[in-house]
Amino acid sequence: MLKKIHLSASNVNHKEILYIQEAINRKEFSNYGANLREFQIQLKEYFRERREVVLLNSGTSAIHMALINLGVKRGDEVICQSFTFAASAFPILYQGAKPVFIDSENDTWNICPNLLEEAVKARIEKGIRPKAIIIVHSYGMPARMDDIIEISNKYEIPVVEDAAESLGSSYKGIRCGAFGDFGVLSFNGNKIITTSGGGVLLCKTKFQKENSIFLSNQAKNNNSFYEHSEVGYNYAMSNIIAGIGRSQMEILDENVKIKRVIHTYYNRLFKNIDGIKLSNEPDINFCSNYWLNCALIDKSTTGFTSEYLIKGLAKENIECRPLWRPMHIQPLFKNSLFYGPGVSESLFNSGICFPSGSDLSDDDLNRIQEAIEKYIKS
Ligand SMILES: *Cc1c(COP(=O)(O)O)cnc(C)c1O
């Protein structure tokens, strides 16, 4: 059997072990130490000192922390992009709040600003002001941030920007993660860089930063006898994990470059194939890290479905996947509100993600191309 080609594996820098070893030598295992300090500085510089950085144990924790900071409580409503991974929406439920899902638009596949405004108006007319708007840059493609921020300002509803898949992407020259009142990054194993598991909350003020560090370290009012007056969380990143992040941060720019080269490769491959449309930046305002390369398959032209291609490539030990199954059609959210005509559902029905990891070799890419051509022709 040929070696498995994964959907999205990250490069290694080979300094990961060095930084971990240093931490072990210093016995800095816990939530303090040089790796945490350095990793935080690197991230702060990456966001050009515009954001405060809180290192956490996952992207999901970071979204939860954002909602806690925004005072989301039981019974509140929170607007959320439907076309995403469930971790964007789960923290709404952690808070006992209710999600209101919004459909995608056709260019970026992200939240449709017109539907967003329609939903906000409709909820306010009902006497309910949503507490937050969670938007996502799916697969690395930036959402229409100008329109979203305008709506956020007009109706005074803060934005939580789920940039878990879009570290290295930008919109009009501003890095994804730095638009929202809160930004979220993930360093899960399959993301653009990894710490094996980890996340970041990006925020605007020192107070939000200090409050988030306090809450994510078990809300200890006092460091000797541990007095507690609020619910705490064990969400902090460890200094061992931060060693991986510190090393990975050094290759972030390179990874993004590689990802964009892989995208060019797929563009060339699909250019002359009718009925397979690769996702591309709508115009020069958008710069995607192309975390995953995704395409829509028009069955009436190709004669086959995305499912056929996914199964075919699996036989060649090449991992592909459908696009996100939108939240509004998930059993868990069957009672939640949804605004839109169902664009996200049709994306799910005809979409496919191709292997896009920064570790792909030229041989891997050739194997992918041959396999795709084989199944398209048969
Ligand atoms: C990966 C991901 C998350 C969750 O991040 P974790 O670090 O795995 O908790 C959240 N939102 C989106 C869109 C993601 O892709």
Side-chain angles (χ1 to χ4, degrees), residues 58-60 63 84-85 87-88 136 162 164-165 186-188 191 198 324:
S58 77
T60 312
I63 297 172
T84 185
F85 178 54
S88 305
V136 187
D162 182 347
E165 299 166 9
S186 165
F187 305 118
N188 197 335
K191 297 289 155 65
W324 300 127

Side-chain angles (χ1 to χ4, degrees), residues 37-152:
R37 270 197 309 279
E38 287 304 317
F39 190 26
Q40 190 201 298
I41 291 169
Q42 287 168 310
L43 283 158
K44 206 164 169 183
E45 280 174 0
Y46 193 77
F47 286 94
R48 304 186 175 119
E49 312 285 330
R50 284 181 206 200
R51 284 296 183 275
E52 300 292 339
V53 172
V54 183
L55 298 172
L56 299 173
N57 62 3
S58 77
T60 312
S61 308
I63 297 172
H64 192 194
M65 263 306 135
L67 297 186
I68 293 168
N69 270 283
L70 289 170
V72 172
K73 295 201 176 64
R74 183 161 299 281
D76 285 341
E77 287 190 2
V78 174
I79 287 179
C80 184
Q81 180 167 324
S82 186
F83 186 69
T84 185
F85 178 54
S88 305
F90 282 151
I92 302 172
L93 302 188
Y94 300 167
Q95 288 305 93
K98 292 182 253 177
V100 175
F101 292 112
I102 312 289
D103 211 353
S104 297
E105 53 111 33
N106 277 305
D107 293 334
T108 64
W109 300 354
N110 292 312
I111 196 165
C112 169
N114 296 335
L115 292 170
L116 170 62
E117 182 159 23
E118 191 186 300
V120 168
K121 275 190 191 155
R123 298 320 291 156
I124 290 174
E125 263 168 37
K126 288 259 180 213
I128 303 158
R129 179 174 293 270
K131 275 289 187 67
I133 301 167
I134 302 174
I135 67 99
V136 187
H137 310 289
S138 290
Y139 304 113
M141 186 64 73
R144 294 196 176 276
M145 288 318 301
D146 274 358
D147 297 337
I148 293 164
I149 296 298
E150 197 182 313
I151 293 164
S152 160

